[in-house]
Amino acid sequence: HWAAQQAASYFLNVHQRLSWNNLNAGCYVYQRLGWDNASALSGNIIIGEANSISYRDDNNTLDIVAHEYAHLVTETSAGLVYKKEQGALNESFSDIFGVACYEFNFGITNTIWLNGYDRTDVTNPNLHLVYRDLSNPKNYDQPDTYLGTNWYSTTGGYGDDNWGVHTNSGVQNYMFYLLVSGKDGVNENGWPYSVTGIGFNDARRIAYLALTAYLTNNSQYI
């Protein structure tokens, strides 16, 4: 509940959004036993306790809960359909605002780009159960380049994970990391890039504006 409160506070103080639907609606938070996951829909956030896998901490870290809260924001703004590229963007915006909410509370840390870092192995607190790395998506089998290495095909029959929504989100996640931090390099297509980071304050406002003012339910990466 604390993490959900912080997520609501972040969207209010940074983006002037009145709760998840911008209409001051309440948000209900539940804990689900024996489930190693988290979800959100229509004002409800469900956090898995993960006790079916005894060594795993539950999914109640700030960035994970804020990630779920951001799904509610997406649901009531762009409404990105939860499949293929639209779903990847949906997931990415949640990762982005999860990180942004964490930074709003704790500042920039060495582990801020690691989604779920504060979730640990109960038997080994030094083992962090990270889901994704926005600064280097390939560390967790995601692509950092559109249609590049680790890209999940969105063509053909029904695919796993709604055609890889938790995989292809890495492309926009990496974009946001570059936008915040900046970097020089060469991408998989052999194209050199030099990005000057603009910091969290401006980058997160760009992300919020894109989600709430420009994108529609079937928007894709283009």
Side-chain angles (χ1 to χ4, degrees), residues 131-153:
Y131 285 115
R132 290 175 289 280
D133 182 352
L134 281 72
S135 68
N136 190 351
K138 290 180 180 177
N139 281 342
Y140 292 88
D141 300 320
Q142 288 188 294
D144 62 15
T145 305
Y146 185 70
L147 300 180
T149 302
N150 297 327
W151 177 266
Y152 190 101
S153 175

Side-chain angles (χ1 to χ4, degrees), residues 1-2 5 18 26 39 47 50-51 67 73 76 84 92 101-103 112 134 148 153 158 174 176 197 204 215-216:
H1 281 88
W2 173 83
Q5 288 174 333
L18 304 176
S39 67
I47 302 298
N51 65 352
H67 169 111
V73 174
T76 53
K84 301 187 177 183
S92 176
C101 181
Y102 195 96
E103 188 275 338
I112 193 169
L134 281 72
S153 175
Y158 183 79
Y174 189 57
F176 185 74
R204 63 193 177 194
L215 300 185
T216 62

Side-chain angles (χ1 to χ4, degrees), residues 19-87:
S19 188
W20 52 275
N21 67 348
N22 208 23
L23 295 171
N24 270 327
C27 179
Y28 295 86
V29 182
Y30 304 89
Q31 190 162 34
R32 179 175 170 181
L33 303 180
W35 188 54
D36 187 30
N37 209 331
S39 67
L41 184 67
S42 301
N44 299 291
I45 295 176
I46 303 174
I47 302 298
E49 189 182 39
N51 65 352
S52 64
I53 306 176
S54 60
Y55 63 86
R56 289 185 175 177
D57 194 3
D58 51 12
N59 286 278
N60 63 1
T61 65
L62 176 59
D63 57 348
I64 292 176
V65 176
H67 169 111
E68 298 304 334
Y69 190 95
H71 276 309
L72 303 179
V73 174
T74 297
E75 179 186 348
T76 53
S77 56
L80 288 159
V81 175
Y82 200 70
K83 66 178 182 180
K84 301 187 177 183
E85 288 188 28
Q86 303 96 307

Side-chain angles (χ1 to χ4, degrees), residues 150-187:
N150 297 327
W151 177 266
Y152 190 101
S153 175
T154 57
T155 61
Y158 183 79
D160 293 335
D161 191 29
N162 288 19
W163 289 273
V165 296
H166 288 93
T167 300
N168 294 342
S169 56
V171 174
Q172 184 176 250
N173 283 356
Y174 189 57
M175 178 280 296
F176 185 74
Y177 165 74
L178 292 176
L179 192 61
V180 172
S181 303
K183 186 178 180 181
D184 297 336
V186 179
N187 74 4

